[in-house]
Amino acid sequence: MADLQRLSLNQATTQNWSIKEATEGCVRHGIPSISLWRHKIHEVGLGESARLVRDAGLHVSSICRGGMFPSASPVERREKIEDNFRAVEEAAKLNADSLVLVVGASADVPLRDARRMVEDGLAALVPYAQKCGVRLGLEPLHPMYAADRCVLNTIDQALEMASLYSPTEVGVILDTFHIWWDPFVFEQIERVRGRIYGLHVSDWLVPMPDMLLGRGVMGDGVIDNRTLREAVDRAGYGGAIEVEIFNQSLWDTPGDEVLAKVVDRFIALV
Amino acid sequence: MADLQRLSLNQATTQNWSIKEATEGCVRHGIPSISLWRHKIHEVGLGESARLVRDAGLHVSSICRGGMFPSASPVERREKIEDNFRAVEEAAKLNADSLVLVVGASADVPLRDARRMVEDGLAALVPYAQKCGVRLGLEPLHPMYAADRCVLNTIDQALEMASLYSPTEVGVILDTFHIWWDPFVFEQIERVRGRIYGLHVSDWLVPMPDMLLGRGVMGDGVIDNRTLREAVDRAGYGGAIEVEIFNQSLWDTPGDEVLAKVVDRFIALV
C-alpha cells in the first residue's frame, strides 16, 4: 500500500475550506502535505498562506494552477502569461514541488492553434520559472476537456512538449482521473520516467453525475488507482500523491468527514 | 468539398423516424446511402427493411451495431455473442458495407478484463462474419465512454485489435466526434490505411449539453470535419460518410428540416 507520508490534500477536495481550515484539517488527520489553489492564496495573501503552511509543518506538493494560455485575443494571451509569472512567484514563495499547469483551451481557437499558443506560453514562462527555482508541471487532462479546458490530453503529448526543456525545468503531472482509460497508459508512464512531477488520484463514477464536478473518492468508481500508482512508482516517482476531487456533494460534506474518508481510502486503495 | 454522393444518413440522426420514413427522407433530399440501426430493423422485420432500402435505391453503408461484449456474467457474454451472429446475418441480408461494432464496457468488469472479453468476442465472431461475407468495423469511441460504453478508445488500439485479422475481415470505423481531440490523430489515420471501413461526422458542442445526447450538426461545434475527412481520404478511404448525431433537440425537430440542414452542412463543411 502507499505510504501515508506521501499523502497530500489537494485543496480542491475541500473547496469550502480556507487555507487555514485546510492546513488545520491536515494536521488533525495526519496528512503531511497540501496543494494550494491560487484563489485560496489570494483570499488571505501570499505571506499569510506561507505562514499557515509553515506553522502547520506541512510540505507544499504543488500550487494549482498556472496555464490557460489559449485565447483569440493577443492582449488576453499576454495578460495570461503575466498572470503565470505571478503564479511562479507564488510557487517559489511557498516552496512548492511544482507549479501545475492546466494549459487551457478556447472554443474560439482552432485546436492546432491553441496547442501552438500553449507551446508559446510555456516558452515565455520557462526562463522566469527557472530563475525563480520553480518546476513547471504540465498536466494532461481527460480528452473530454479538449474543447474548453485543456488541449493537452495524453502523457505522450505532454512529454513531447516537455522534452524541449530540461527534466529539472518542465515535467508532467499524472492524474489517474485523466489517464486511466488510455490503452497505452503503462507504456506512456514508463516513457515519461524522469519527468514525473506529481501524481493525483480520485475516481471515475458510473454514471458520471457531472463532467466537471463528478469525480469520486477512490473506491467509489472504476479506476484501479493502486495499479496505476505502482506503475508510476516503478517509473521512478516517489513524491507526494495528491487527492484531488471536484465533487459538489463532497464539497457539501463536512471537511473532517471528507478527510477521514480520504485517509482510509488512500491506505486501502492507493 | 466532399462529394454529395458519399453522404449517408445514419439513422440515429433521425431517431423518431422508422426505416420507411428515413428511406423516403433520403430520396427526397438526394441522400444516396443510409445506415440502419438494428432496433429499427426489428420494428418492421429484416425482409421488409431490405425491401424498403432496395425500393428506395439506397446503398447501405453500415448496420449499427454489434459488439457490447464485456459482462461479468459468462452466460450473458455468450448471449451477446449469439446476438452478434444475428447482427452479422442482418448486415449480410442488407448488403451493408460493414457491421459496426461498438465493443462495450461494464462498470462491473475491470478495464483490462473487459478489453480481453472484447478480443475474445471478436475472435468468436470473425469466422462467421467471414462466412457470411460481412466486414466487421471496430469503432473506437471517445475516452469519456470507457467506463460504461466502449473500452476501445483510440485508432491505434483498434488497429492493434484488427491487425490479428485480414484487412478484408476486420477494419476500423472513424468518427470525428470520437477522435478529433487526439494530438496524434493524423498519424493514426495514416497508420490505419487499408483498414478504414467507414467515416462518421458530427460536431462537439461547447458547452456539451449531455455526454450521450449532446452531439451537434457539423458547424455548430469545434470539430474541423473537413481537415479530418481530407486526411481520411488521403489514407485511401473513398467510401460513404455517415452523418451520425445523437441529440435530443435534433430528434425533436421535424426530420425534413434536419435532413436539409445535414445536406447543407455536409456540402459546406465536410
Side-chain angles (χ1 to χ4, degrees):
Chain A
M1 69 188 194
D3 181 355
L4 196 56
Q5 289 311 305
R6 294 178 68 185
L7 176 56
S8 176
L9 174 67
N10 185 296
Q11 213 184 347
T13 305
T14 52
Q15 191 65 243
N16 293 330
W17 269 358
S18 65
I19 289 182
K20 182 166 193 294
E21 290 167 312
T23 53
E24 290 171 356
C26 285
V27 170
R28 278 196 302 280
H29 292 268
I31 298 173
S33 299
I34 193 166
S35 163
L36 300 183
W37 277 69
R38 294 185 66 212
H39 65 286
K40 296 290 186 183
I41 294 171
H42 299 166
E43 278 174 12
V44 292
L46 182 56
E48 174 68 2
S49 299
R51 192 188 66 74
L52 285 165
V53 293
R54 192 181 54 238
D55 288 358
L58 296 177
H59 173 79
V60 179
S61 54
S62 72
I63 299 302
C64 293
R65 59 186 192 221
M68 300 296 170
F69 298 110
S71 166
S73 149
V75 171
E76 201 171 287
R77 289 205 297 280
R78 277 195 299 275
E79 287 170 356
K80 286 174 171 203
I81 289 173
E82 279 301 318
D83 184 56
N84 273 280
F85 287 155
R86 301 295 85 74
V88 164
E89 291 159 6
E90 290 160 16
K93 171 80 175 176
L94 287 158
N95 209 16
D97 289 346
S98 66
L99 172 64
V100 175
L101 299 182
V102 172
V103 302
S106 166
D108 300 326
V109 178
L111 186 61
R112 79 176 68 185
D113 295 346
R115 284 172 173 159
R116 201 168 44 238
M117 289 174 189
V118 171
E119 291 163 6
D120 293 347
L122 186 62
L125 196 58
V126 169
Y128 190 65
Q130 174 73 355
K131 190 181 137 196
C132 297
V134 169
R135 303 195 309 170
L136 301 174
L138 295 167
E139 182 172 2
L141 257 57
H142 193 283
M144 72 182 170
Y145 301 125
D148 53 4
R149 188 158 299 268
C150 180
V151 295
L152 189 68
N153 306 103
T154 70
I155 301 171
D156 273 351
Q157 185 194 7
L159 178 57
E160 191 172 281
M161 203 173 281
S163 295
L164 295 175
Y165 306 97
S166 145
T168 62
E169 289 172 335
V170 182
V172 179
I173 304 287
L174 303 175
D175 184 318
T176 60
F177 181 85
H178 297 307
I179 64 173
W180 73 277
W181 61 272
D182 195 310
F184 305 106
V185 66
F186 295 105
E187 295 90 324
Q188 291 180 69
I189 288 171
E190 185 50 42
R191 278 196 285 273
V192 78
R193 172 186 287 276
R195 289 199 188 252
I196 303 173
Y197 282 7
L199 173 61
H200 298 179
V201 294
S202 65
D203 216 332
W204 182 284
L205 301 178
V206 178
M208 171 150 298
D210 181 278
M211 278 175 75
L212 195 56
L213 301 183
R215 299 194 198 184
V217 181
M218 301 79 72
D220 289 344
V222 299
I223 298 178
D224 184 351
N225 277 291
R226 174 150 300 163
T227 300
L228 287 164
R229 192 270 300 165
E230 288 173 344
V232 173
D233 283 3
R234 278 196 306 277
Y237 182 71
I241 302 170
E242 296 182 11
V243 173
E244 183 186 41
I245 305 170
F246 297 83
N247 184 303
Q248 190 61 55
S249 74
L250 201 71
W251 294 349
D252 296 339
T253 304
D256 278 303
E257 266 182 52
V258 172
L259 261 53
K261 190 178 199 183
V262 159
V263 168
D264 284 352
R265 297 292 181 84
F266 184 83
I267 291 169
L269 297 165
V270 181
Chain B
M1 68 191 195
D3 182 354
L4 196 56
Q5 291 309 307
R6 294 178 68 185
L7 176 56
S8 177
L9 174 68
N10 185 296
Q11 214 185 344
T13 306
T14 52
Q15 190 66 244
N16 293 329
W17 269 357
S18 66
I19 288 182
K20 182 165 191 294
E21 291 168 310
T23 54
E24 291 171 354
C26 285
V27 170
R28 278 197 303 281
H29 292 269
I31 298 172
S33 300
I34 194 165
S35 163
L36 300 182
W37 277 70
R38 296 184 64 212
H39 65 286
K40 296 290 184 182
I41 295 171
H42 299 165
E43 277 174 13
V44 291
L46 182 55
E48 175 67 2
S49 299
R51 193 189 65 74
L52 285 165
V53 293
R54 192 179 55 239
D55 288 359
L58 297 177
H59 173 79
V60 179
S61 54
S62 72
I63 299 302
C64 293
R65 56 184 196 225
M68 300 295 171
F69 298 110
S71 166
S73 149
V75 171
E76 200 171 288
R77 289 204 297 279
R78 278 196 298 275
E79 286 170 355
K80 287 176 173 205
I81 289 171
E82 279 301 318
D83 184 56
N84 273 279
F85 288 155
R86 303 293 84 75
V88 164
E89 291 158 5
E90 290 159 17
K93 170 80 175 175
L94 287 158
N95 208 20
D97 290 345
S98 65
L99 171 64
V100 175
L101 300 182
V102 172
V103 302
S106 167
D108 301 325
V109 179
L111 187 59
R112 77 176 68 187
D113 295 346
R115 285 174 172 156
R116 201 167 44 238
M117 289 174 189
V118 172
E119 291 164 3
D120 293 347
L122 186 63
L125 196 58
V126 168
Y128 190 64
Q130 173 73 354
K131 189 180 138 200
C132 297
V134 169
R135 303 193 309 169
L136 302 174
L138 295 168
E139 182 173 3
L141 257 56
H142 194 283
M144 69 182 173
Y145 300 125
D148 52 4
R149 188 158 298 268
C150 180
V151 295
L152 189 66
N153 305 104
T154 70
I155 301 171
D156 272 351
Q157 184 193 7
L159 177 57
E160 189 172 282
M161 204 173 281
S163 295
L164 295 175
Y165 308 97
S166 146
T168 62
E169 290 172 333
V170 182
V172 178
I173 304 286
L174 303 176
D175 183 319
T176 60
F177 182 85
H178 298 306
I179 65 174
W180 73 277
W181 61 272
D182 195 311
F184 305 105
V185 66
F186 295 106
E187 295 90 325
Q188 291 179 70
I189 288 172
E190 185 50 41
R191 278 196 285 272
V192 77
R193 173 185 286 276
R195 290 201 188 250
I196 303 172
Y197 283 6
L199 173 62
H200 298 179
V201 293
S202 66
D203 216 332
W204 182 284
L205 301 178
V206 178
M208 171 151 297
D210 182 277
M211 278 175 77
L212 196 55
L213 301 183
R215 297 195 201 185
V217 182
M218 301 78 73
D220 289 344
V222 300
I223 298 179
D224 184 351
N225 278 290
R226 174 149 300 161
T227 299
L228 288 163
R229 191 270 301 164
E230 289 172 344
V232 172
D233 283 2
R234 277 197 306 277
Y237 181 70
I241 301 170
E242 296 182 10
V243 173
E244 183 186 41
I245 304 170
F246 297 83
N247 183 305
Q248 190 60 53
S249 75
L250 201 71
W251 294 348
D252 295 338
T253 304
D256 278 303
E257 265 183 53
V258 172
L259 262 52
K261 191 178 196 178
V262 159
V263 168
D264 285 352
R265 297 292 181 84
F266 184 83
I267 292 170
L269 297 165
V270 181

